[in-house]
Amino acid sequence: MARPRRKTHGSSSGLAVFGIVVLSLFIVSAVGAYAMLWWKADKVAKLDSDHCPVEGPSSVTAVLLDVTDPIKEITKIDLKRQFQKAVAGVETGGLIEVYALSGEEGKLARTFRGCNPGDGETADPWTTNPKKIQERWKKAFEEPLKQIAEHIGEAGEANSSPIMAGVQRIVIESFSDPKANGKNKTLYVASDMIEHTDSFSIYKSGADYEAFENSVARARFRTPLDGIGVKLLVFQRETAKPLSDLPEFWTRWVDGNGGEFIGYERMAGVE
């Protein structure tokens, strides 16, 4: 009669150990994945009421629209295109402000202020709701700026055109925010660039920078443009005096105030 075989526990013990190891690895992986999602969610920028990161915008863009005189339809279309291009250049977290210049010196109407909160395509589907992110972007950023673009160039007439005072106001109120220190700053000025105030008038003196330097306007409209890139979007107007020196005049004004002159672009059409 054959002797009964002893039961061996080696195989079952090995399976148990293997199962424990697999379970441990699963738990570690799950905890790691949760920790990673928690970390990524914690890194999502907290936004203020203007949809800007609470620690400050990643860049600042300001657009000054001269509405002291009406412009022709072809110029409006070209300006709208340039405005949309400027808006498209504002990255997620970047702030854009839009101002309308009036005929009253230093008085501006701010028509928009807000940051690009990012659209649904930039959202992380694991930590956010891309659909809600897209809706927020459309409501807070795309649609109001689209409305501004649609009505661009609609204006009455004013007796003066205080462009320098308008730039000065924007620089002091917008670009001087401590949260914007060290950030990329860009100013677009859409205008005929014919400064006309009691202090100095290009209509009277022409685009003569020496005449400007000898006027009270030089000190009155001194503007700290340090660290700011300035681009001019210029409406062309028929004037009694030739203004071929207009680009040089404004280049010297920007440089003289410490700014970086990044462009002078003539809009289509002649007013």
Side-chain angles (χ1 to χ4, degrees):
M1 181 174 179
R3 296 174 63 186
R5 299 176 61 184
R6 290 184 178 181
K7 292 182 179 180
T8 59
H9 299 282
S11 59
S12 58
S13 298
L15 288 173
V17 171
F18 178 76
I20 292 172
V21 171
V22 171
L23 180 60
S24 298
L25 290 174
F26 174 78
I27 293 173
V28 169
S29 298
V31 171
Y34 175 80
M36 178 60 71
L37 287 175
W38 179 87
W39 181 82
K40 291 177 70 176
D42 188 61
K43 292 298 179 183
V44 174
K46 306 298 188 296
L47 306 182
D48 62 18
S49 59
D50 292 317
H51 298 94
C52 295
V54 292
E55 67 274 13
S58 56
S59 65
V60 182
T61 300
V63 181
L64 177 60
L65 300 173
D66 185 349
V67 294
T68 55
D69 287 297
I71 57 176
K72 291 185 177 178
E73 191 64 29
I74 189 64
T75 307
K76 289 181 186 179
I77 294 171
D78 196 12
L79 179 56
K80 177 181 176 181
R81 177 181 63 85
Q82 290 291 339
F83 179 77
Q84 291 171 331
K85 186 177 178 180
V87 171
V90 178
E91 79 278 17
T92 300
L95 170 68
I96 182 170
E97 297 186 314
V98 184
Y99 294 87
L101 182 72
S102 72
E104 192 173 351
E105 190 176 297
K107 298 292 185 180
L108 302 176
R110 188 169 67 188
T111 57
F112 181 82
R113 184 183 194 278
C115 279
N116 179 357
D119 59 15
E121 293 184 1
T122 64
D124 186 343
W126 292 99
T127 57
T128 60
N129 185 327
K131 184 177 180 181
K132 287 187 176 180
I133 297 291
Q134 181 69 15
E135 290 174 353
R136 180 184 67 184
W137 177 78
K138 286 179 66 68
K139 183 178 180 180
F141 191 77
E142 183 194 39
E143 291 179 355
L145 287 170
K146 185 182 290 185
Q147 285 297 313
I148 291 174
E150 290 299 326
H151 297 286
I152 217 162
E154 296 178 0
E157 293 187 17
N159 294 323
S160 62
S161 185
I163 301 164
M164 294 178 184
V167 171
Q168 185 184 60
R169 174 69 65 176
I170 291 174
V171 170
I172 297 301
E173 291 191 354
S174 300
F175 290 125
S176 297
D177 187 334
K179 288 187 176 181
N181 288 344
K183 306 297 177 61
N184 185 52
K185 301 173 185 176
T186 307
L187 171 64
Y188 293 88
V189 182
S191 170
D192 59 15
M193 301 311 298
I194 302 177
E195 176 78 9
H196 178 53
T197 66
D198 294 337
S199 301
F200 177 76
S201 174
I202 290 178
Y203 282 119
K204 297 176 181 178
S205 304
D208 185 338
Y209 197 75
E210 280 66 32
F212 165 74
E213 286 191 314
N214 292 323
S215 72
V216 297
R218 180 186 181 187
R220 186 171 185 176
F221 301 130
R222 185 178 61 82
T223 304
L225 292 172
D226 306 79
I228 301 173
V230 181
K231 182 171 183 178
L232 307 182
L233 307 174
V234 185
F235 320 146
Q236 300 179 77
R237 296 196 186 277
E238 293 181 347
T239 56
K241 294 182 179 181
L243 297 176
S244 57
D245 293 334
L246 202 58
E248 181 184 357
F249 178 93
W250 286 102
T251 300
R252 293 182 65 180
W253 187 79
V254 171
D255 290 344
N257 284 281
E260 179 187 359
F261 195 82
I262 59 175
Y264 183 102
E265 188 161 349
R266 291 185 175 92
M267 298 292 94
V270 177
E271 305 305 314

